[in-house]
Amino acid sequence: MHKESLLPVAANLSMTGQNADGWYPPGHGDIYASFYNSGLLDQLIAQGKEYIFVSNIDNLGATVDLHILHHLVSQPNGKGCEFVMEVTDKTRADVKGGTLIQYEGKLRLLEIAQVPKAHVDEFKSVSKFKIFNTNNLWISLPAIKRLQEQNAMDMEIIVNPKSDPKDCKFPISLSIFPFPPHPQTLDGGLNVIQLETAVGAAIKCFDNALGINVPRSRFLPVKTTSDLLLVMSNLYSLEAGCLTMSPKREFPTTPHVKLGSSFTKVGTALLPLLSMRHEYLTRFESIPDMLELDHLTVSGDVTFGKNVSLKGTVIIIANHGDRIDIPAGSMLENKIVSGNLRILDH
């Protein structure tokens, strides 16, 4: 909508032509209305289904846990639990994650975008707000139907300014998303704001809602190539459809990985090699051994050969105009590598 007038940008329901820039995703809180209006909700209820498990598409740790489902259907006194939100312990990396609060006798989801600036530091406190929302949700299908028919699905509107698509954390070389992140300013210079609702914000509408503290392994989002490097490494293995931490890792926590702008795009083998020089996949002949890694920072034009091993804290910085090729078979342990290192074919 217009930032100044607060009126919709689109002049009509058409999604083409001049109206194309006027539409954007309304946030995942739209799932309830879409689920109901599509007829899928009634279809699942008619099949005898009672609950739906919902999670973010980028959370590779979100799998169906039958222990949680058993807890849902075995509430005492026949008092059914209509909504369960999986939460997990907050770390320094999760300070912006939404948390659960109790207000007027109901559980509510509090997002950082809803917190006044004067209290943001308090919201980010790991000691005061110890858990955050993984967005793994278990929801009663009959309850969704009841709330939709009563028009009682009340979710707060979140004003969520978006950055320019070129600044997106995880741009893909080939466009696979129907709606890219929406800029605050349209091509014509019009200032806009984006309004969203969050799927977890509906927790206050359901009866006997619960938050369940789950292991951190159930929250494994891949939003950046830094996240992607972790799940592609030998830190994880796929067992029965679940990504599990390798038992060979001494500590259960994941390393802190920060890859620079030269690793931002994932890349694809469909593009010529020269056009891929700044893309993630072409910078690794094989993914390094990271079982004993604590921290990795990579900045600049850096490539990794086969069978590289990283341990402890490793920092690799190629300054502007320099290039660093980590040789095949290298073992870097608690090292800082900078300057210019080229490995040339002969």
Side-chain angles (χ1 to χ4, degrees), residues 170 222 224-233 266 280-281:
F170 200 1
V222 176
T224 67
T225 50
S226 300
D227 300 329
L228 183 61
L229 180 62
L230 288 172
V231 299
M232 290 180 67
S233 74
V266 176
Y280 166 87
L281 289 178

